Amino acid sequence: MKPAARGIAFIAQFVVLGLAVAFTIGLVWPGTGQVLRERLGFGPSPAAPSTVATPPVASGPASYADAVSRAAPAVVNIYANRLVSEQPSQVFADPVMQRILRVPTGPVTKRREQNLGSGVIVSPDGYVLTNNHVIASAYDIQVLLYDGRVFKARVVGSDDETDLAVLKIEAGSLPEIPLAAPAHKQRVGDVVLAIGNPFGIGQTVTMGIISAMGRQLNLSSPEIFIQTDAAINLGNSGGALVNAYGELVGINTALIGQAVGAEGIGFAIPVASAKQVLDQIIATGHVTRGWMGADYGAVAVSADSGLPSAARGVMVNDVYPGGPAANAGIQPRDVLLRFGDTGIVDPNDLRRREAMQAPGSTVNVSGLRNGIPFTAPVKMVQRPPIPVQPAANAQGASPAITPQR
């Protein structure tokens, strides 16, 4: 064999032997190669690209303590005392007789009853917003502040239709709850916190989301509500529903109870509606709403009409004799399409806009009568008390909507 060939064979044998030794050392002492590279100054070996996907970083806050600390000092506990008349009656052993007969056996007596509720301080000089059913018929109202002070409150005014009342306590420099700006529209899915005094155990915070917007609980009322699954219990009425920044978005007022198998269906009055009622009561002691004296419903659309099933506007069902609509010549079966300069979306939209008009103002109402366009100037009047009709559920029965005292 030539010398050159022998040299190449020797080098190949040496390389094979070295690789075998390195392989054996790697099996016996893993990581030896990494140590040698670091000692020789070559640095660590580059890491292999990972095939495991990195989970996304959560964007929501880990705590709502800042929102609670901003809003909670302005939420108060309300204790409303009232007298309830009772008359003892004879009790029969037979259950059927108990249901049929109630025989008085003594004089009428009165006992003291205490309503529990919550409220929200809306101004540093002592105005408190709460639910009307919390303080209705009360002869004594006590307000417990966040710092433990107790004040006697007087009723400035109330509104049955929105179930709101304004109280006044003689105290100054009080914490005022921040109101959500009108530009910041609440959306379904937004996190909300309910702050109140459930069952009188003291201030409590529960969390949920906005489940729906624009819920109507009464067919004859223009008021709409926020639906939430934040826990609302007895004593939460009048308390605050705040967003994740501690701003007031609603006043907790009612829920559909477990008596009908419901869970997590509560309602709050939107802050915009509550602010309108608050301002009017502080200014005049009562709430004024416009009324045009007509009952109306959705526009009936037949299947073969070629029109969309959710047609805009309203159909006039009835007109009150001597009312503004009757005086303007509006008739049953008229289809109203515009109220003022804006189109009518549906009956709820018209009820809200009608209620916002000042009594004595004139609004041009446009629509169709037997397919012929017409316009009628309607002079609004103060809305009279109207019996409230509960909205029907999908089965056609009235849901068990309970004001939460």
Side-chain angles (χ1 to χ4, degrees):
M1 183 179 291
K2 295 182 179 179
R6 286 197 299 268
I8 293 174
F10 175 78
I11 294 173
Q13 292 174 357
F14 182 80
V15 170
V16 171
L17 180 61
L19 291 174
V21 172
F23 178 75
T24 303
I25 294 174
L27 289 176
V28 178
W29 295 289
T32 304
Q34 177 70 24
V35 174
L36 290 175
R37 278 192 294 271
E38 293 178 356
R39 288 187 177 181
L40 294 175
F42 294 108
S45 60
S50 175
T51 58
V52 180
T54 303
V57 178
S59 59
S63 172
Y64 297 98
D66 290 340
V68 174
S69 63
R70 188 181 184 193
V75 181
V76 301
N77 298 346
I78 296 177
Y79 303 89
N81 300 308
R82 60 184 180 183
L83 295 177
V84 179
S85 298
E86 289 184 337
Q87 186 174 26
S89 58
Q90 182 177 351
V91 178
F92 294 90
D94 185 357
V96 177
M97 296 297 294
Q98 290 181 17
R99 290 195 297 267
I100 297 176
L101 297 178
R102 286 179 57 89
V103 180
T105 60
V108 176
T109 60
K110 292 188 177 182
R111 63 176 177 85
R112 177 174 165 271
E113 182 179 82
Q114 187 176 73
N115 263 1
L116 300 177
S118 306
V120 178
I121 300 174
V122 291
S123 69
D125 55 349
Y127 284 103
V128 177
L129 188 62
T130 186
N131 281 142
N132 181 51
H133 71 260
V134 172
I135 54 89
S137 305
Y139 68 89
D140 177 64
I141 303 172
Q142 302 290 326
V143 174
L144 173 63
L145 302 188
Y146 184 77
D147 59 11
R149 290 182 293 166
V150 179
F151 291 90
K152 184 180 179 65
R154 65 177 177 88
V155 179
V156 179
S158 61
D159 180 50
D160 289 334
E161 192 159 309
T162 55
D163 192 21
L164 288 173
V166 179
L167 309 179
K168 182 69 166 65
I169 58 176
E170 298 306 322
S173 302
L174 295 173
E176 176 185 4
I177 195 165
L179 307 184
H184 297 163
K185 297 294 184 182
Q186 283 73 54
R187 301 175 301 168
V188 174
D190 283 351
V191 171
V192 286
L193 309 172
I195 308 177
N197 178 29
F199 299 104
I201 63 175
Q203 190 176 96
T204 303
V205 182
T206 57
M207 187 191 77
I209 63 170
I210 293 178
S211 305
M213 299 289 296
R215 292 296 196 212
Q216 188 182 21
L217 303 185
N218 300 306
L219 295 177
S220 60
S221 172
E223 303 305 328
I224 57 176
F225 294 82
I226 298 171
Q227 181 182 329
T228 179
D229 66 347
I232 298 176
N233 297 286
L234 290 170
N236 273 107
S237 274
L241 188 71
V242 304
N243 59 22
Y245 306 101
E247 300 169 331
L248 184 71
V249 299
I251 300 295
N252 300 321
T253 188
L255 61 83
I256 297 181
Q258 294 184 350
V260 294
E263 185 174 346
I265 304 179
F267 301 96
I269 302 165
V271 66
S273 300
K275 184 68 164 55
Q276 293 175 357
V277 172
L278 171 70
D279 292 342
Q280 288 196 54
I281 289 179
I282 291 178
T284 65
H286 63 277
V287 177
T288 300
R289 292 183 175 87
W291 186 63
M292 66 178 187
D295 287 335
Y296 40 80
V299 178
V301 179
S302 60
D304 58 352
S305 65
L307 297 175
S309 58
R312 289 176 173 257
V314 299
M315 173 77 73
V316 177
N317 297 325
D318 197 8
V319 176
Y320 288 85
N327 294 336
I330 294 177
Q331 303 174 9
R333 307 296 298 172
D334 285 349
V335 175
L336 307 183
L337 301 176
R338 298 184 68 83
F339 187 78
D341 298 328
T342 310
I344 299 170
V345 178
D346 54 29
N348 290 342
D349 174 57
L350 181 55
R351 288 189 188 97
R352 289 192 295 271
R353 292 164 58 188
E354 177 186 357
M356 293 173 62
Q357 301 300 313
S361 61
T362 300
V363 180
N364 287 326
V365 178
S366 304
L368 298 173
R369 179 177 300 144
N370 299 323
I372 301 174
F374 75 93
T375 299
V378 180
K379 187 175 182 179
M380 310 297 289
V381 299
Q382 166 68 28
R383 178 175 178 170
I386 296 178
V388 175
Q389 300 176 357
N393 62 16
Q395 287 72 39
S398 298
I401 299 175
T402 308
Q404 293 310 295
R405 294 172 180 165

